[in-house]
Amino acid sequence: MRQRRASASLFFATLIALTLLGCNGAERQKREQAAAAQRQLGALVRRCRGQQPAVQRQLQELRRSSNELANLKQQAYSPLRKPAAPDPELMARFTREDQELEQERYEQALATWRSSDRAARLYWQGEQEAKRKLSTARQQQAEKALLSLGVGGTEAARTAWSNCDPQQLAAVALR
């Protein structure tokens, strides 16, 4: 019976010791994980600060190209000035032949205007499309460069990398 009690006591002592070690082990593991996370965040902040000039350039290019695209969308074609129609009061003073001649001149000027305006509109549209393609290409290039620098595609990530703020970097790194 004594041996049984001693065995039971030894068993419970071992169980208590293992339980306490297990708690200390979990606590230690949490501390190690926290320390590792802190080291990773420190490395991320150092990397951010080292890349900040390049990130700032790409963010500036991204903003500039986005603004250019927004401005292009706001622009509208301004047609050429249409020739003025003959004044009816003035035409009333003309002879019938002069009225017909004046009307023919107006029709010719109108046809010339339509042709010129169509050409000018097509030229303007071509320029707009070229500008749009160039701005879109620059925007895509800046986005690609930011991704290659490790900056995510969200506004929060861009802000965090722009400021190199540890809390913001940690928040975007967890996403």
Side-chain angles (χ1 to χ4, degrees), residues 41-104:
L41 181 59
L44 187 60
V45 170
R46 285 190 299 280
R47 186 173 130 220
C48 179
R49 288 185 181 141
Q51 293 178 338
Q52 196 169 22
V55 169
Q56 292 289 348
R57 275 193 309 275
Q58 295 306 322
L59 287 173
Q60 185 177 18
E61 181 60 33
L62 184 63
R63 281 190 294 273
R64 188 167 62 84
S65 59
S66 294
N67 287 339
E68 285 174 359
L69 286 169
N71 288 338
L72 285 171
K73 287 180 182 177
Q74 296 298 319
Q75 293 178 2
Y77 173 72
S78 297
L80 299 177
R81 189 166 169 226
K82 189 175 182 178
D87 182 11
E89 288 181 19
L90 184 62
M91 292 281 283
R93 292 189 230 152
F94 290 171
T95 64
R96 183 165 174 73
E97 291 166 353
D98 286 341
Q99 287 177 356
E100 289 173 2
L101 185 61
E102 189 64 28
Q103 187 62 35
E104 280 180 34

Side-chain angles (χ1 to χ4, degrees), residues 160-174:
W161 279 85
S162 174
N163 301 331
C164 289
D165 181 81
Q167 290 177 334
Q168 290 176 339
L169 284 169
V172 296
L174 293 175

Side-chain angles (χ1 to χ4, degrees), residues 17-31:
L18 287 176
T19 303
L20 289 175
L21 284 176
C23 290
N24 287 339
E27 198 59 37
R28 186 174 40 116
Q29 186 178 14
K30 284 182 184 178
R31 281 193 308 271

Side-chain angles (χ1 to χ4, degrees), residues 116-131:
S116 296
D117 189 62
R118 188 176 315 113
R121 179 182 300 272
L122 289 173
Y123 180 78
W124 180 85
Q125 288 172 339
E127 279 189 330
Q128 292 297 100
E129 185 61 27
K131 289 175 185 177

Side-chain angles (χ1 to χ4, degrees), residues 57-69 129-149 151-153 158:
R57 275 193 309 275
Q58 295 306 322
L59 287 173
Q60 185 177 18
E61 181 60 33
L62 184 63
R63 281 190 294 273
R64 188 167 62 84
S65 59
S66 294
N67 287 339
E68 285 174 359
L69 286 169
E129 185 61 27
K131 289 175 185 177
R132 193 173 1 269
K133 284 181 179 179
L134 182 61
S135 293
T136 300
R138 282 200 301 251
Q139 185 180 40
Q140 290 171 345
Q141 184 179 8
E143 287 172 344
K144 186 177 177 183
L146 285 168
L147 287 174
S148 72
L149 289 168
V151 179
R158 291 174 181 157

